[in-house]
Amino acid sequence: MSSLLCKIEQIFKYMNILVTGGAGFIGSHTLIELYAAGHTAVVVDNLSNSNPESLRRVAKIIGTDSIPFHELDVRDRGGLNKLMEEQKFDACIHFAGLKAVGESVEKPWEYYENNISGTLTLVDVMRNHGCKNIIFSSSATVYGDPVEIPITEKCPKGQCTNPYGWTKSMLEQVLMDMQKADPEWNVVLLRYFNPVGAHPSGLIGENPNGIPNNLMPYITQVAVGKRPELGVFGNDYDTPDGTGVRDYIHVVDLARGHVCALKAIERKCGLEIFNLGTGHGYSVLDMVNAFIRVNGVKVPYSIKPRRAGDIATCYSNPAKAEKELGWKAQYGIEEMVRDSWNWQKLNPEGF
């Protein structure tokens, strides 16, 4: 992978990685990049918002018979114990968790119980088996309504605007406190901005169950005729066109960021925090119009009331990840919308 900016030769050790939620959107793309870098991985996933077909397609992309997979919920202490007794892991990349902002406002208990209980169980089992290296899938939502734009890692965490964000913020604090109490832990908190796109092969992509909660899969489902129109939530924000502005990042770039984050684990980083974004903000209508222009398809939309928990503008300053990990996003808005549509048109019903 010559385009992977963090040089693979700088990672001195090939690792066996436990990937929780590895059948999901970001997890499946990360598996490809891990194997490309010479690592091995074992996936645990309860398949609540994913499909095992994604792992079969990952195996096809990387040219192997299968990806080691255990259908397992990270809240299942017995199952995790058994797995870690059978295998030795050098680190865990922890994706597993509920992740939809709007749904979290409607179902706060489910989000707190699933995300927090699952992570507490996972890290307890990990430490009991001597695996004290974790890369945590966090989110820019921990900044709340940020006090500075673009957002750096020094920006204080804010009052989160939804339960999903609070689970990420709380779990960051749990992991920070654990690492402070036990310096043997190496914890990397990756604060994602807005993942979109799909693998260029079109074999894997975002495949939400039911009505999509995120912008891009909704756009693609409208474009493929699966849904009548896109609802744009609010056009009266203090932004250039009135719609919310976000830092959209191609999922392949995001996946590569996890491989680069292993460099921090390798050098026994203690605690590190990195923003993973492009540093550019695009509005909802920017994304819609780019999708129409690049792909030549229609995306009817209508303006809806603002959605609870949303903020006007959120985009990153990703300079720290470039300086310390050698990672920088390579793909722009054209590749994001092109690959999203390529996935959807080749898989109109998903997996």
Side-chain angles (χ1 to χ4, degrees):
M1 284 286 187
S2 59
S3 61
L4 181 55
L5 284 190
C6 70
K7 304 301 183 186
I8 298 306
E9 62 268 20
Q10 294 177 11
I11 300 176
F12 303 108
K13 176 184 176 185
Y14 293 136
M15 300 185 188
N16 188 36
I17 311 295
L18 176 64
V19 182
T20 71
F25 177 43
I26 304 170
S28 59
H29 287 81
T30 299
L31 290 171
I32 295 169
E33 303 306 323
L34 286 171
Y35 277 87
H39 303 292
T40 54
V42 175
V43 173
V44 299
D45 198 306
N46 69 0
L47 303 180
S48 64
N49 193 33
S50 58
N51 191 308
E53 176 62 23
S54 68
L55 298 178
R56 289 188 281 272
R57 297 192 184 188
V58 166
K60 181 177 180 179
I61 291 168
I62 66 177
T64 189
D65 290 336
S66 63
I67 302 295
F69 168 59
H70 299 264
E71 186 173 347
L72 183 66
D73 193 302
V74 291
R75 293 170 292 182
D76 181 352
R77 181 180 296 271
L80 287 177
N81 268 316
K82 184 174 185 294
L83 176 60
M84 290 199 170
E85 286 165 2
E86 294 171 350
Q87 296 199 50
K88 182 183 183 298
F89 295 100
D90 298 296
C92 173
I93 301 179
H94 180 33
F95 295 108
L98 301 175
K99 63 177 185 176
V101 168
E103 183 183 63
S104 78
V105 176
E106 299 169 359
K107 299 179 178 180
W109 185 89
E110 286 81 357
Y111 271 69
Y112 289 119
E113 194 277 333
N114 184 89
N115 293 4
I116 294 175
S117 295
T119 303
L120 289 174
T121 302
L122 173 68
V123 297
D124 191 31
V125 173
M126 285 176 62
R127 67 178 180 172
N128 290 337
H129 288 84
C131 180
K132 296 184 178 181
N133 298 315
I134 188 167
I135 296 173
F136 177 59
S137 170
S138 191
S139 168
T141 58
V142 302
Y143 294 113
D145 199 346
V147 299
E148 62 180 18
I149 298 289
I151 302 168
T152 70
E153 291 83 356
K154 293 182 179 179
C155 180
K157 289 166 68 173
Q159 291 291 311
C160 295
T161 56
N162 54 76
Y164 163 75
W166 277 120
T167 67
K168 294 298 186 183
S169 183
M170 292 173 181
L171 288 170
E172 281 196 0
Q173 191 63 50
V174 167
L175 293 170
M176 287 189 281
D177 289 344
M178 288 183 59
Q179 195 282 326
K180 183 177 181 180
D182 180 0
E184 289 187 2
W185 275 96
N186 296 296
V187 173
V188 180
L189 307 177
L190 297 182
R191 292 174 178 170
Y192 306 166
F193 281 70
N194 292 69
V196 296
H199 192 268
S201 68
L203 287 172
I204 62 170
E206 192 165 6
N207 184 52
N209 291 334
I211 299 174
N213 287 292
N214 296 324
L215 174 64
M216 188 52 66
Y218 212 112
I219 289 175
T220 62
Q221 288 191 13
V222 170
V224 83
K226 197 171 182 179
R227 304 199 181 274
E229 68 172 14
L230 171 72
V232 176
F233 296 102
N235 66 343
D236 57 352
Y237 287 104
D238 184 17
T239 63
D241 62 20
T243 64
V245 170
R246 298 291 182 269
D247 188 339
Y248 295 95
I249 177 173
H250 198 294
V251 66
V252 172
D253 279 328
L254 184 61
R256 291 172 179 169
H258 293 77
V259 178
C260 294
L262 289 173
K263 289 171 63 178
I265 296 290
E266 176 68 26
R267 65 174 181 251
K268 299 189 181 303
C269 63
L271 171 70
E272 285 287 1
I273 301 170
F274 297 101
N275 288 336
L276 293 184
T278 66
H280 301 287
Y282 296 104
S283 75
V284 172
L285 292 184
D286 285 337
M287 297 299 286
V288 171
N289 292 330
F291 188 94
I292 294 169
R293 173 174 53 83
V294 170
N295 297 313
V297 293
K298 295 180 179 179
V299 182
Y301 67 87
S302 62
I303 305 300
K304 307 289 185 182
R306 290 188 184 191
R307 186 171 55 183
D310 280 347
I311 59 175
T313 301
C314 182
Y315 63 92
S316 72
N317 178 341
K320 182 183 176 185
E322 181 175 9
K323 179 181 179 182
E324 298 188 17
L325 300 177
W327 173 89
K328 184 178 181 180
Q330 298 297 292
Y331 296 123
I333 190 172
E334 288 80 10
E335 291 89 354
M336 296 179 203
V337 298
R338 179 201 65 202
D339 292 341
S340 294
W341 177 233
N342 186 46
W343 149 255
Q344 188 72 79
K345 70 182 180 182
L346 293 175
N347 303 272
E349 299 301 323
F351 293 117

